[in-house]
Amino acid sequence: MNMQTGAVMAPPSPKSLDDVGLTVVMMRDILLKTQFRKNINKVTDLARAIALPVPITQELIDLARGQGLMEAMGTLGAAGEVSSEMPYQLTDQGKARALDALAQSEYFGPMPIPLESYREQMKRQSIRNIQITRDQLLGAMGHLILPEDLIGNLGPAVGSGRSILMYGPPGNGKSSISNGIRDAMGDKIYVPRAIEYSGQVITVYDPIVHSKATDEVENPNALRRRSQYDRRYVYCQRPTVITGGELSLDMLDLVYNPTARTYQAPLQLKSSGGIFIVDDLGRQAEPPQKLVNRWIVPLEESKDILALQSGEKFEVPFDTLVIFSTNFHPNEIFDQAALRRIFFKIKIDGPSQENFLKIFALVARKKKMQLDEASLVHLLKNKYPTINNTFANYQPVFLIDQMISVCDFEGIPYKMTPELVDRAWANMFVKDEKIVK
């Protein structure tokens, strides 16, 4: 069932060690490794580092003390310090245990989220729960000159959270439209710093992919304080992963770091709750059919299957809006079985002459290029007929930038002339001819 954006339910903060969902040994070892690596000794600092509430962190410290791995440093703080916290340090036995744990896995810091808990949170913030309105989509794409029926076709596709194939001639804004869809999603979700499966840690949060949002400032004097969410998550904008010709099948698998002995989430897992854009489909080393075959199960069943180094396979949520963008006709690169699994197919054609002129005028105004009627007539009557009046959205920017470059070089005002049009046009296409060697 769709809901308005902004209604994502936060993951509840754990109230006990059991709520954390990890084994006691794993939590204890991450605590020891974190203290060893970060050299911090106060409970509040340790709690912040492992992303758990202070009472639970204190409980872990008490557990480690009972096992002879940590000890109090014997004072509540040096003279002059405001803090009254009891500092703790690792014992020799604790240091040995930390080193042994680091030899098994270099991971330290925020406690990971158990996979099952992550599944539950993804249900609460599913991309399929959002509802994009016409006004939202228009607001995000208001700077684009688009065919009248395009928004009407895109809206239901985006709102469904299902896969989209955008195809058509190059240079007509498929990438810009994909980015506009991303911008229309104004709500925020919770991205796990790391998840845990079968004792293995998989890092998910990636500052390159995820844009951290600013938390609401909490008023300590308020009668009703805002409930804290689980700090093992990062509050983020819905993520967007954009790939192009560099995409390969191995980028969709877990990445194992043999030095750290941890895993990094693949691109589609990092994009969970957001958008995965495959731009320039057909330009990758892998055939498009092969790439889509990799996604058959995820697209149909909303789950992906990943494998550990040991060969053990497990399921993770596949909750991302996949947008394929290609300059090829779909029938050239897919069979009908693959096309059936891509839910929406939307053709992005070049602009009409009317829309082309609107785009041209907007670009000229933005770049301070003075228009000239005789030059525009020359462009439309003498130049475009040589390419069968095939207009593309990229052409106004290309032509005007070319004319500006000439004006800058010649030291003349920014004003269109038929001669400037001819010089710009000469650089937009390459004459089809044989080169004598």
Side-chain angles (χ1 to χ4, degrees):
M1 179 178 68
N2 283 349
M3 63 181 74
Q4 293 294 332
T5 58
V8 170
M9 184 182 298
S13 182
K15 299 293 191 296
S16 67
L17 282 177
D18 287 342
D19 289 345
V20 179
L22 305 173
T23 66
V24 172
V25 171
M26 186 175 195
M27 289 187 285
R28 180 206 64 192
D29 284 353
I30 290 177
L31 173 69
L32 297 178
K33 290 188 288 183
T34 302
Q35 184 168 21
F36 184 83
R37 286 292 191 220
K38 298 179 76 71
N39 194 29
I40 50 182
N41 55 33
K42 293 181 180 177
V43 180
T44 51
D45 292 336
L46 284 166
R48 190 176 301 111
I50 64 175
L52 290 182
V54 170
I56 298 179
T57 304
Q58 183 67 61
E59 193 174 346
L60 275 176
I61 291 172
D62 293 341
L63 176 70
R65 290 180 68 193
Q67 295 175 351
L69 304 173
M70 293 180 71
E71 61 184 1
M73 294 174 70
T75 175
L76 291 178
E81 285 189 10
V82 176
S83 173
S84 60
E85 286 188 53
M86 174 73 74
Y88 296 92
Q89 64 184 5
L90 297 177
T91 64
D92 290 341
Q93 185 181 348
K95 292 175 183 176
R97 178 58 204 164
L99 286 169
D100 184 52
L102 285 165
Q104 297 174 47
S105 169
E106 273 283 342
Y107 182 83
F108 64 91
M111 295 287 174
I113 302 290
L115 180 56
E116 190 54 43
S117 299
Y118 172 64
R119 287 195 185 103
E120 292 302 315
Q121 181 59 30
M122 284 312 304
K123 291 178 184 176
R124 292 190 282 262
Q125 59 191 31
S126 172
I127 190 74
R128 293 177 178 83
N129 289 342
I130 68 168
Q131 181 180 358
I132 296 293
T133 65
R134 179 178 288 271
D135 288 343
Q136 285 175 300
L137 210 50
L138 283 172
M141 299 186 187
H143 61 294
L144 302 176
I145 305 295
L146 301 173
E148 291 183 4
D149 61 344
L150 184 58
I151 292 294
N153 291 330
L154 279 175
V158 176
S160 73
R162 309 291 290 272
S163 54
I164 302 172
L165 172 64
M166 293 193 295
Y167 66 98
N172 283 309
K174 292 185 290 297
S175 298
S176 298
I177 292 168
S178 297
N179 293 333
I181 292 172
R182 174 195 62 192
D183 295 340
M185 297 179 178
D187 62 337
K188 302 171 181 66
I189 63 171
Y190 298 85
V191 177
R193 300 177 190 272
I195 58 179
E196 176 271 338
Y197 172 75
S198 192
Q200 302 298 314
V201 177
I202 303 165
T203 58
V204 178
Y205 174 70
D206 183 345
I208 296 175
V209 171
H210 301 107
S211 299
K212 188 175 181 180
T214 303
D215 289 330
E216 297 176 24
V217 178
E218 196 170 278
N219 181 3
N221 299 318
L223 294 177
R224 179 178 291 178
R225 302 181 68 184
R226 181 174 59 86
S227 61
Q228 289 290 318
Y229 64 86
D230 191 336
R231 294 294 168 173
R232 293 178 291 170
Y233 289 86
V234 182
Y235 193 46
C236 296
Q237 305 287 342
R238 287 192 179 268
T240 300
V241 171
I242 304 176
T243 64
E246 77 283 1
L247 179 64
S248 59
L249 283 173
D250 59 5
M251 295 168 70
L252 306 178
D253 296 328
L254 286 173
V255 179
Y256 181 69
N257 184 328
T259 303
R261 288 166 291 281
T262 58
Y263 293 86
Q264 185 179 102
L267 296 176
Q268 71 274 19
L269 188 55
K270 290 181 180 181
S271 69
S272 291
I275 304 176
F276 191 117
I277 299 173
V278 182
D279 207 0
D280 285 331
L281 187 65
R283 305 295 182 191
Q284 294 78 15
E286 309 280 0
Q289 182 74 46
K290 199 171 182 180
L291 286 171
V292 171
N293 285 347
R294 168 62 178 81
W295 272 314
I296 285 178
V297 171
L299 290 175
E300 286 194 336
E301 301 183 18
S302 299
K303 64 182 181 183
D304 197 7
I305 300 174
L306 302 176
L308 300 174
Q309 282 287 102
S310 63
E312 181 180 358
K313 295 183 178 181
F314 62 101
E315 293 179 3
V316 295
F318 186 86
D319 193 275
T320 183
L321 172 62
V322 181
I323 301 177
F324 299 102
S325 174
T326 183
N327 300 330
F328 296 94
H329 192 282
N331 291 338
E332 295 178 16
I333 56 178
F334 296 124
D335 62 22
Q336 291 304 307
L339 281 176
R340 188 177 71 248
R341 290 173 170 90
I342 300 176
F343 208 70
F344 290 89
K345 295 91 172 171
I346 300 175
K347 187 178 181 183
I348 310 295
D349 270 322
S352 63
Q353 179 175 300
E354 179 184 358
N355 280 345
F356 171 84
L357 290 173
K358 288 180 182 178
I359 297 170
F360 202 98
L362 284 174
V363 174
R365 188 181 307 118
K366 182 179 179 180
K367 295 180 177 286
K368 298 180 172 55
M369 168 60 74
Q370 187 177 345
L371 295 176
D372 172 71
E373 184 176 352
S375 300
L376 284 173
V377 170
H378 175 64
L379 180 66
L380 296 177
K381 298 296 185 183
N382 299 324
K383 293 301 179 182
Y384 271 97
T386 65
I387 59 169
N388 298 318
N389 291 316
T390 303
F391 299 99
N393 287 322
Y394 80 93
Q395 292 166 351
V397 175
F398 185 95
L399 292 169
I400 290 172
D401 281 346
Q402 288 282 334
M403 288 186 274
I404 286 174
S405 295
V406 174
C407 291
D408 287 339
F409 178 74
E410 301 290 353
I412 58 178
Y414 288 179
K415 182 179 179 181
M416 285 181 62
T417 65
E419 180 192 2
L420 284 176
V421 169
D422 288 343
R423 293 180 68 173
W425 187 269
N427 284 322
M428 194 158 66
F429 302 100
V430 177
K431 184 178 180 182
D432 190 9
E433 59 184 345
K434 287 188 177 182
I435 305 294
V436 178
K437 297 181 181 179

